[in-house]
């Protein structure tokens, strides 16, 4: 039982780290004059993408773990490290990104862009043998809630917090990647 609770806590922390992208972009999008109905749909869409992308990654990861065992675990840990470093480094860039309108195709593009890293993490968790339902449930719910929080908070404050939240998310993923690889030291 304690193993299951530990895995759930780990998945929630990972989901929070992955959802930082959605939160930070939501902060910026929250500066638009969005109605509560639009905010609801945006959060729901992001949550669904954070279920679909890790599911694809989990399936690929389970296949790899059955075929390649320990090597696949090392690759999974390295993927988390690379993803974490990439998130941290992206906070140092001063480039302005083009705004995506959070409706129609723009909303789907937005959902895909903030959930791509979930595929890599899903791949790692599939290699590691995580419980699929728990992963998808945690990632989807947490991403939707963080998106809603970012959008609502973005209506109230400036976007200065977004950069720091992405760096925090990258640091957490980096830590999990190192933890995964530490079993081989």
């Amino acid at each position: 039982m304690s193993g299951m609770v530990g895995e759930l806590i780990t998945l929630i922390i990972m989901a929070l780290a992955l959802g930082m992208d959605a939160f930070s972009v939501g902060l910026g999008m929250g500066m638009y004059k969005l109605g509560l109905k639009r905010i609801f749909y945006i959060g729901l869409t992001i949550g669904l993408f954070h279920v679909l992308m890790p599911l694809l990654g989990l399936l690929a990861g389970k296949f790899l773990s059955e075929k390649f065992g320990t090597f696949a675990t090392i690759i999974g840990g390295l993927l988390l490290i690379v993803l974490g470093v990439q998130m941290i480094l992206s906070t140092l860039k001063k480039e302005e990104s083009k705004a995506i309108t959070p409706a129609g195709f723009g909303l789907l593009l937005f959902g895909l862009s903030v959930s791509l890293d979930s595929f890599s993490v899903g791949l790692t968790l599939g290699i590691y043998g995580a419980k699929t339902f728990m992963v998808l449930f945690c990632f989807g719910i947490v991403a939707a809630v963080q998106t809603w929080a970012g959008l609502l908070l973005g209506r109230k404050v400036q976007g200065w917090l977004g950069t720091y939240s992405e760096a925090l998310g990258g640091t957490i993923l980096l830590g999990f990647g190192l933890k995964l690889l530490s079993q081989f030291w």
Side-chain angles (χ1 to χ4, degrees), residues 22-32 34-36 38-44 46 102 107 110 144-157:
F23 176 77
S24 61
V25 175
L27 274 173
M29 283 197 160
M31 306 279 175
Y32 295 122
L34 299 172
L36 292 178
R38 171 65 46 204
I39 288 173
F40 174 78
Y41 286 129
I42 292 170
L44 191 62
I46 301 306
L107 178 56
F110 172 56
V145 169
Q146 281 183 297
T147 302
W148 290 325
L151 289 166
L152 293 171
L153 188 60
R155 290 173 69 175
K156 303 282 183 198
V157 298

Side-chain angles (χ1 to χ4, degrees), residues 53 57 76 79-80 83 115-125:
M53 296 305 286
L79 278 173
L80 282 177
L83 184 58
S115 66
L116 277 176
D117 50 358
S118 296
F119 176 81
S120 300
V121 174
L123 180 67
T124 302
L125 292 172

Side-chain angles (χ1 to χ4, degrees), residues 76-91:
L78 291 173
L79 278 173
L80 282 177
I81 291 170
V82 168
L83 184 58
V85 169
Q86 178 187 2
M87 285 175 70
I88 293 167
L89 291 177
S90 73
T91 63

Side-chain angles (χ1 to χ4, degrees), residues 22-148:
F23 176 77
S24 61
V25 175
L27 274 173
M29 283 197 160
M31 306 279 175
Y32 295 122
K33 295 194 184 249
L34 299 172
L36 292 178
K37 186 176 180 181
R38 171 65 46 204
I39 288 173
F40 174 78
Y41 286 129
I42 292 170
L44 191 62
T45 302
I46 301 306
L48 289 174
F49 269 97
H50 272 79
V51 168
L52 179 64
M53 296 305 286
L55 176 61
L56 295 173
L58 277 162
L59 295 174
K62 286 183 179 181
F63 171 77
L64 288 174
S65 70
E66 291 171 3
K67 300 293 180 193
F68 301 106
T70 302
F71 179 71
T73 302
I74 293 170
I75 296 298
L78 291 173
L79 278 173
L80 282 177
I81 291 170
V82 168
L83 184 58
V85 169
Q86 178 187 2
M87 285 175 70
I88 293 167
L89 291 177
S90 73
T91 63
L92 301 175
K93 294 180 183 175
K94 299 289 183 187
E95 299 172 2
E96 289 290 323
S97 60
K98 294 183 179 178
I100 300 171
T101 307
F105 183 71
L107 178 56
L108 293 177
L109 199 61
F110 172 56
L112 181 64
S113 69
V114 298
S115 66
L116 277 176
D117 50 358
S118 296
F119 176 81
S120 300
V121 174
L123 180 67
T124 302
L125 292 172
I127 291 168
Y128 190 63
K131 293 174 181 54
T132 303
F133 176 77
M134 281 179 34
V135 170
L136 300 179
F137 181 77
C138 289
F139 283 17
I141 295 295
V142 169
V145 169
Q146 281 183 297
T147 302
W148 290 325

